[in-house]
């Protein structure tokens, strides 16, 4: 369990505190003035969601919730990537117990972030495919930096995004746009994402993105927090109820899908493609 010890950073760094975390894959920083917590993912090179990162994100969300922050901003320590989605290595020739745990923790992270009552926003300071898009769309507001891509590209890997994974996407996009994007594995550019409503604003830098997220959270300052929280829950309850009904079956579906020989072959080829892309860059 994460310690809730708060470390004061002193005057030089301004009114901020860091919550200490057991591992170093996420940090949580609370702005003392605004009461807003920033959760930063720090798993180089691309914040691939392996089991450990997912466990850390979940613990950090819980810690922020327990410390009664006024809002939560999620962002990344990487200069180019917000989050590259599930660590594909977790799905390739997987150890079964671990694969089960990875999917269960992805569910837990989504459920914690989607269902949290405080205002949430994503400062998307880099690419956000698949599980990265999942985190961003679980939040209430999204600000993204230019020249990046965001979307649910699961079909490209031969896998099918289940309904709960798509629900945040469907909260912000018309059904027709969402269906086409998923079936085409479309990754939206920053400009396209703004045009379609997948993100709410563009910022020129991560700092500006975080500021805009904080400004969004600040808009609730004069709203009764209990009324706000219950209203948010009301909007999200159907998706969460459905998710809880299906979550165990969803784990079985995921395992059986990922273990199919043709899916393993597809994931292997996709991994090779990523490596080749890197070699071509050199
Ligand atoms: N997992 C593991 N490793 C990754 C991943 C990943 N998702 N993404 C990138 N990497 C690795 C690369 O292989 C490379 O490794 P190495 O240094 O060892 O060669 C390193 O990270 C850096 O990658 P790039 O050189 O590609 O970095 P760029 O900054 O140029 O590009 C991108 C960053 C845009 C994020 C690019 O890496 C990319 O497109 N990655 C793939 C993203 C992706 O397709 N993710 C899908 C994951 S699946 C998922 O999240 C949902 C699963 C739902 C399943 C539902 C079933 C029921």
């Amino acid at each position: 369990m994460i310690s809730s010890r708060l470390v004061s950073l002193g005057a030089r760094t301004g009114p901020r505190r860091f919550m200490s975390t057991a591992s170093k894959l996420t940090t949580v920083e609370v702005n003392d003035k605004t009461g807003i917590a920033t959760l930063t993912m720090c798993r180089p090179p691309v914040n691939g969601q392996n089991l450990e990162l997912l466990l850390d994100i979940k613990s950090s969300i819980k810690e922020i919730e327990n410390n009664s922050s006024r809002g939560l901003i999620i962002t990344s320590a990487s200069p180019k990537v917000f989050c590259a989605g599930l660590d594909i290595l977790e799905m390739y020739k997987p150890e079964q117990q671990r694969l089960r745990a990875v999917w269960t923790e992805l569910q837990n992270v989504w459920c914690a972030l989607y269902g949290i009552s405080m205002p949430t926003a994503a400062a998307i300071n880099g690419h956000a495919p698949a599980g990265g898009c999942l985190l961003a769309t679980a939040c209430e507001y999204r600000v993204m930096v230019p020249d990046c891509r965001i979307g649910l590209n699961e079909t490209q890997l031969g896998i099918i995004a289940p309904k709960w994974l798509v629900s945040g996407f469907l909260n912000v996009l018309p059904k027709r746009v969402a269906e086409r994007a998923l079936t085409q594995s479309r990754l939206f550019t920053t400009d396209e994402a703004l045009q379609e409503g997948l993100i709410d604003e563009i910022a020129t830098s991560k700092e500006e993105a975080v500021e805009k997220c904080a400004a969004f959270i600040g808009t609730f300052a004069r709203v009764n927090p209990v009324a706000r929280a219950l209203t948010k829950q009301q909007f999200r309850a159907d998706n969460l109820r459905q998710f809880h009904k299906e979550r165990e079956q969803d784990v079985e579906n995921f395992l059986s899908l990922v273990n199919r020989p043709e899916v393993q072959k597809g994931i292997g080829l996709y991994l090779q493609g990523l490596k080749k892309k890197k070699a071509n860059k050199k």
Side-chain angles (χ1 to χ4, degrees), residues 6-278:
L6 302 179
V7 181
S8 167
L9 287 179
R12 190 173 56 83
T13 49
R16 294 181 299 163
R17 305 170 282 165
F18 282 101
M19 292 180 186
S20 64
T21 50
S23 98
K24 296 193 167 52
L25 300 179
T26 58
T27 62
V28 174
E29 185 187 345
V30 181
N31 183 311
D32 274 344
K33 207 166 137 200
T34 62
I36 297 170
T38 301
L39 190 172
T40 304
M41 295 174 279
C42 337
R43 181 172 182 250
V46 293
N47 284 325
Q49 293 163 321
N50 70 347
L51 181 57
E52 289 72 24
L53 177 60
L54 289 167
L55 285 166
D56 256 28
I57 298 173
K58 181 180 74 175
S59 300
S60 291
I61 295 170
K62 292 287 168 208
E63 185 167 8
I64 291 167
E65 200 169 23
N66 292 339
N67 282 289
S68 312
S69 297
R70 274 206 30 230
L72 182 162
I73 297 171
I74 185 163
T75 191
S76 155
S78 156
K80 273 176 31 186
V81 183
F82 172 72
C83 169
L86 269 193
D87 185 330
I88 296 168
L89 295 171
E90 294 280 24
M91 293 188 283
Y92 189 52
K93 300 182 181 168
E95 197 273 298
Q96 296 305 307
Q97 277 308 102
R98 188 168 165 104
L99 183 65
R100 181 177 289 277
V102 165
W103 195 250
T104 303
E105 290 309 328
L106 184 70
Q107 289 182 331
N108 286 338
V109 163
W110 175 77
C111 191
L113 191 57
Y114 189 74
I116 198 168
S117 58
M118 70 180 62
T120 52
I124 311 166
N125 59 317
H127 300 293
C133 179
L134 175 74
L135 294 178
T137 53
C139 295
E140 289 160 60
Y141 201 73
R142 282 153 291 284
V143 183
M144 190 163 167
V145 298
D147 304 321
C148 290
R149 301 243 172 197
I150 181 168
L152 295 175
N153 61 325
E154 277 76 3
T155 52
Q156 204 179 351
L157 281 94
I159 48 186
I160 303 134
K163 267 194 187 155
W164 63 267
L165 200 150
V166 180
S167 48
F169 204 65
L170 275 169
N171 280 351
V172 291
L173 290 179
K175 205 170 166 187
R176 180 167 181 271
V177 176
E179 179 182 321
R180 197 193 283 186
L182 265 119
T183 50
Q184 292 181 329
S185 263
R186 177 176 177 192
L187 290 171
F188 297 79
T189 63
T190 303
D191 289 337
E192 290 166 347
L194 183 69
Q195 201 177 340
E196 298 286 3
L198 182 52
I199 61 166
D200 299 287
E201 282 191 78
I202 296 179
T204 52
S205 64
K206 173 180 170 177
E207 291 66 34
E208 196 190 359
V210 171
E211 272 169 30
K212 284 176 183 272
C213 287
F216 165 74
I217 291 170
T219 61
F220 298 111
R222 287 174 194 201
V223 180
N224 178 301
V226 177
R228 199 208 93 85
L230 292 175
T231 304
K232 175 175 175 178
Q233 276 168 13
Q234 197 170 269
F235 267 89
R236 296 179 177 224
D238 284 349
N239 284 336
L240 285 167
R241 209 174 294 120
Q242 193 65 24
F243 161 74
H244 284 298
K245 228 163 74 185
E246 294 170 358
R247 65 173 301 170
E248 280 163 24
Q249 185 57 49
D250 180 60
V251 175
E252 302 309 324
N253 293 348
F254 172 73
L255 262 86
S256 107
L257 186 70
V258 169
N259 283 316
R260 279 195 206 160
E262 71 275 18
V263 173
Q264 280 298 305
K265 195 172 159 203
I267 295 173
L269 289 170
Y270 191 76
L271 268 172
Q272 272 178 30
L274 280 175
K275 303 280 169 210
K276 212 184 276 170
K277 184 189 110 190
K278 193 171 178 188

